[in-house]
Amino acid sequence: MEMGMIGLGRMGGNMAARLLSGGHDLVVFDRQEEAVRACVRQGARGASSLSELAAGLGSPRVVWVMVPAGGMTRCTVDALTEDLSPGDMVVDGGNSNYKESMRRASELKEKGIGFLDAGTSGGVWGLREGYCLMVGGEREDFELVEPLLRTLAPSPERGYAHVGPAGAGHFVKMVHNGIEYGMMQAYAEGFELMRAKAELDLDLPRIADLWRSGSVVRSWLLDLAAAALEEDPGLDSVEAYVEDSGEGRWAVEESIALGMPAPVMALSLQARFRSRQASPFGAKLLAAMRGQFGGHAVRRAE
């Protein structure tokens, strides 16, 4: 199948490579010219603009957009659709808010253009392992791009699914990331607890590797934790500063809107916020209050 891809960052570039290895004809565009050239060297056709990309595709045109959520996705899709025609298709493979995806699908439908929101998990490892693809939109649109999804997924039978109407793909990916936050936080706390028990002199890289075989807590995230600890057992090269992509926030906001408790997701998100504070004011105030009411010792800043 002939298709276009916009956004060739590291993950998008790996997706392009996987599609090319699957025999798909691909036209690519990215603001970074070297990213385009890298894909051209692998067999893609390069474009220097959105208009050139659209012009280089035969009908019906399928264009996969892989750019950061929010304004960049909005501007890209708006500009792209000026060059598309009824019967064409846009796939948003980024981490857009599901409400925006629902709205975008409705707007494009009025123009006769199909839209799929494809929640994509697998990161940069997807080139080797395949991507988990959670796709929302109309069933016939899903079936049109299914050959592409089979190529991107871990296998032709598993790792991709039509999960519901427009917005469902990004909603499911949002929940997926909320769960991911909780799992990562649990591993982080567990290994920190073991490290704190200094008198046992626990070998954390060895324990991480041990748990990967037969343990009920084994997972791909544990595999990655084991690799990180093997490379740097004390994690001396890593700063304790954890970003969030936004989807964890949306998941917590959704739980509040629905009145549905999600304490693990909420606390995991708050832990990420705390990691970014070098000297949190709240902790200082806690220490100061203890000193005021109980005469407890307060460590003074130098």
Side-chain angles (χ1 to χ4, degrees):
M1 175 181 287
E2 186 178 71
M3 72 167 296
M5 173 170 278
I6 300 166
L8 300 171
R10 191 174 177 192
M11 185 174 177
N14 283 351
M15 293 180 73
R18 192 169 179 89
L19 287 167
L20 288 165
S21 68
H24 298 285
D25 187 11
L26 193 63
V27 181
V28 298
F29 169 70
D30 191 282
R31 294 190 303 178
Q32 299 295 322
E33 293 182 3
E34 178 50 39
V36 176
R37 287 195 290 267
C39 287
V40 169
R41 287 194 290 269
Q42 298 180 68
R45 289 181 286 143
S48 60
S49 68
L50 294 177
S51 295
E52 185 177 325
L53 178 138
L57 293 170
S59 296
R61 291 172 287 193
V62 176
V63 184
W64 190 294
V65 179
M66 202 72 180
V67 299
M72 189 171 293
T73 294
R74 188 180 311 112
C75 292
T76 300
V77 174
D78 288 348
L80 176 66
T81 52
E82 292 181 5
D83 296 301
L84 296 182
S85 305
D88 292 339
M89 173 85 59
V90 174
V91 182
D92 180 3
N95 290 331
S96 295
N97 187 293
Y98 80 96
K99 295 178 182 177
E100 292 184 9
S101 297
M102 293 172 69
R103 183 164 52 251
R104 192 163 291 128
S106 178
E107 292 170 352
L108 292 181
K109 188 173 184 178
E110 292 179 0
K111 301 178 181 180
I113 299 171
F115 178 82
L116 294 173
D117 49 292
T120 307
S121 182
V124 296
W125 292 83
L127 175 60
R128 189 179 75 182
E129 307 289 342
Y131 300 90
C132 178
L133 299 157
M134 301 148 262
V135 185
E138 296 187 6
R139 167 64 69 172
E140 54 267 36
D141 291 341
F142 170 82
E143 291 174 352
L144 176 66
V145 304
E146 194 168 4
L148 304 173
L149 303 176
R150 287 197 194 101
T151 301
L152 291 170
S155 80
E157 296 81 26
R158 301 181 62 84
Y160 75 94
H162 179 250
V163 298
H170 283 153
F171 183 87
V172 171
K173 178 56 163 54
M174 176 193 74
V175 176
H176 164 285
N177 278 30
I179 294 170
E180 177 187 295
Y181 278 34
M183 292 175 66
M184 293 174 71
Q185 185 65 26
Y187 282 129
E189 292 177 8
F191 279 91
E192 186 167 20
L193 182 60
M194 288 189 287
R195 189 172 187 268
K197 196 67 174 176
E199 62 265 34
L200 295 183
D201 193 25
L202 297 173
D203 186 338
L204 299 188
R206 185 176 184 185
I207 292 167
D209 188 59
L210 168 67
W211 285 355
R212 296 171 65 197
S213 301
S215 165
V216 296
V217 299
R218 66 186 182 275
S219 74
W220 185 56
L221 286 173
L222 181 60
D223 294 344
L224 299 179
L229 289 167
E230 183 65 31
E231 293 173 5
D232 185 0
L235 300 180
D236 298 318
S237 63
V238 180
E239 187 177 342
Y241 187 104
V242 188
E243 287 284 8
D244 69 286
S245 64
E247 289 180 286
R249 301 187 191 207
W250 299 339
V252 172
E253 290 169 0
E254 196 68 25
S255 75
I256 294 170
L258 293 171
M260 205 286 304
V264 173
M265 292 185 189
L267 290 174
S268 299
L269 178 63
Q270 295 293 336
R272 294 193 178 200
F273 294 159
R274 178 64 84 177
S275 77
R276 302 168 202 169
Q277 296 179 293
S279 184
F281 182 80
K284 290 183 177 183
L285 186 57
L286 284 173
M289 285 190 288
R290 288 187 78 242
Q292 290 289 332
F293 73 70
H296 300 290
V298 176
R299 295 190 183 186
R300 299 296 177 184
E302 296 181 358

